[in-house]
Amino acid sequence: MASTAPVPGGPSVPDDANALAPLVWPSSAARDASGRIVIAGRDAASLVAEFGTPLYVVDESDVRARAARIRRAFDDAAASIGTTVTVYYAGKAFLSGAIVHWVTDEGLAVDVCTGGELAVALAAGAAPARIGFHGNNKSAAEIERAVGVGVGVIVIDSEIEIERVADAAARAGRVQPVRLRVNSGVHASTHEFLATAHEDQKFGVPLDRAVELGARIRSHASLAFLGLHCHIGSQIFDAAGFAESAERLIGVHAELSREAPVPELNLGGGFGIAYTAADEPAPIEEIAMGIVRAVADGCREHDVPVPKLAFEPGRSIIGPAGITLYTVGTIKPVPIDGGVRHYVSVDGGMSDNARTALYGAEYSARIASRVSDAAPALVRVAGKHCESGDIVVDAEYLPGDVAPGDLLAVPATGAYCWSLASNYNHVPRPPVVAVRGGVARVIVHGETEQQLLARDAGLEASDASNDRPIEGNPA
């Protein structure tokens, strides 16, 4: 396979197309003497021999360490300004019973945004008082259940939800703690942010209505108003956007505090991770300290006590701890300006990682079953689905001798890959395997074709020999 020049805006040609960028891979990732990628003591080839491909692999110790580090970072930062903090794990990134156990063991609360996520958290033993419930369109049944089980806080996302939550709490004979989600007008991503007057989006209420709606919440004896909540974006690499948002929120927080105490302020999550070697997020300790200093400055300016703080990291805990393993199927050279791009097709794709197709997300990849001294070649890792947009890695350099049967590893897939997985083209969703200390175990079972067929009610009407027509169809 011939090498090719770099594409404009794409990755640079690496000196070593076998190297594992430290920030991108799980902390335990390395190559063994045979050149195979090893995660938490298990090499990729042995994992595939046992569980097949595609395969999600999660380093349990890495998840735990990241959860503990983020909690310590915010604990220490909050203590430096004389307050405390609650760190929620944002379950939408990836939620399973094992994940709930890991993050709660490390001292985190759990954030959910649907009845299904609430069910997982409760079934895994999360304390209801340590659960926060988000969502822009919570059903009456979801609200009833959340109130009934004693969820610690419900985030009110719209004016109409005030009455819904208040009525549910009154019927349950409970005073339900709530926060009010507001839009600060700050939009942040990576190292850039844009500050505007208003946001045009489905979440939250305008900041200039927070005082009015806070009074509405306080008018209900069945609700306890804890404070404001705001989320400014995702994949954020520094504290600047959070600081701007905090400054705006604290002015309204102070106004609300003149009527009655406002004990908390939740500034959301969205802390970014490295998906490629070019990504350089600031250390979480630096981000945490930058945010809390902005909070302290704002409270000093408005002469209000520093509230208890809350944050909701998800991706930054689970994302870098996960990889996805694939088997290479076909390789197709395609001429492009300046050279050749090689389409390396794998046995998964947008059904197990929709982010590239949905958001244009960038990923990297490495051959996991061996190393090679072949010159780097420009590749695009494609999936097996019947869509031209079924791309896993848009642009990467792999050794030029990448071949059918090679195992390919895509790092930083712990967040939003399993969560967004589908059965497009009737492809079963892969299993999730956790590895710790050289021991691998399934934490989410993969699906089989038989399980997909079992859900098809139309097939239930046919007998085993397919002699009888499907019910409802003409003979």
Side-chain angles (χ1 to χ4, degrees), residues 166-456:
D167 289 348
R171 288 193 301 272
R174 181 166 187 256
V175 176
Q176 175 62 54
V178 299
R179 297 189 187 102
L180 177 65
R181 180 161 178 170
V182 296
N183 298 323
S184 66
V186 175
H187 310 258
S189 180
T190 312
H191 59 279
E192 298 177 347
F193 75 89
L194 173 67
T196 64
H198 295 286
E199 292 186 60
D200 183 5
Q201 62 148 300
K202 74 172 188 174
F203 292 110
V205 300
L207 187 58
D208 59 12
R209 295 201 65 204
V211 173
E212 169 202 349
L213 297 181
R216 284 267 299 278
I217 292 170
R218 285 168 165 164
S219 72
H220 291 278
S222 59
L223 300 180
F225 180 55
L226 298 185
L228 302 177
H229 171 277
C230 185
H231 184 78
I232 64 171
S234 60
Q235 194 54 1
I236 303 168
F237 280 11
D238 59 33
F242 292 105
E244 173 69 24
S245 182
E247 180 179 334
R248 294 179 175 211
L249 261 64
I250 289 168
V252 177
H253 171 93
E255 192 171 349
L256 285 161
S257 297
R258 296 189 188 103
E259 299 300 321
V262 183
E264 295 185 6
L265 178 64
N266 187 323
L267 292 170
F271 313 116
I273 66 170
Y275 283 101
T276 72
D279 292 333
E280 297 181 350
I284 192 63
E285 293 82 3
E286 179 181 318
I287 294 175
M289 193 60 71
I291 296 171
V292 302
R293 285 175 177 164
V295 170
D297 290 345
C299 290
R300 189 179 307 112
E301 177 184 349
H302 291 279
D303 193 26
V304 291
V306 175
K308 179 179 178 180
L309 301 176
F311 296 92
E312 299 166 356
R315 183 201 319 255
S316 54
I317 293 171
I318 192 69
I323 70 168
T324 307
L325 294 172
Y326 302 99
T327 300
V328 175
T330 63
I331 297 175
K332 183 185 300 182
V334 176
I336 60 172
D337 290 343
V340 175
R341 188 198 309 276
H342 302 272
Y343 277 75
V344 176
S345 293
V346 296
D347 55 350
M350 64 192 300
S351 61
D352 58 73
N353 186 348
R355 294 189 68 253
T356 307
L358 280 177
Y359 314 127
E362 295 183 352
Y363 284 93
S364 56
R366 287 291 179 259
I367 296 176
S369 46
R370 63 184 176 92
V371 292
S372 171
D373 59 5
L378 179 66
V379 306
R380 176 169 285 166
V381 180
K384 65 181 293 178
H385 299 282
C386 195
E387 293 284 346
S388 59
D390 177 26
I391 303 300
V392 179
V393 183
D394 184 66
E396 177 60 291
Y397 285 91
L398 293 177
D401 62 355
V402 60
D406 280 333
L407 299 182
L408 203 68
V410 176
T413 56
Y416 300 107
C417 290
W418 184 88
S419 295
L420 289 168
S422 74
N423 294 128
Y424 184 49
N425 290 152
H426 277 71
V427 173
R429 286 174 291 189
V432 185
V433 170
V435 186
R436 188 179 191 186
V439 177
R441 73 185 196 281
V442 173
I443 60 170
V444 179
H445 291 292
E447 295 172 325
T448 66
E449 288 181 358
Q450 289 71 27
Q451 288 171 323
L452 299 187
L453 295 175
R455 298 209 311 263
D456 191 328

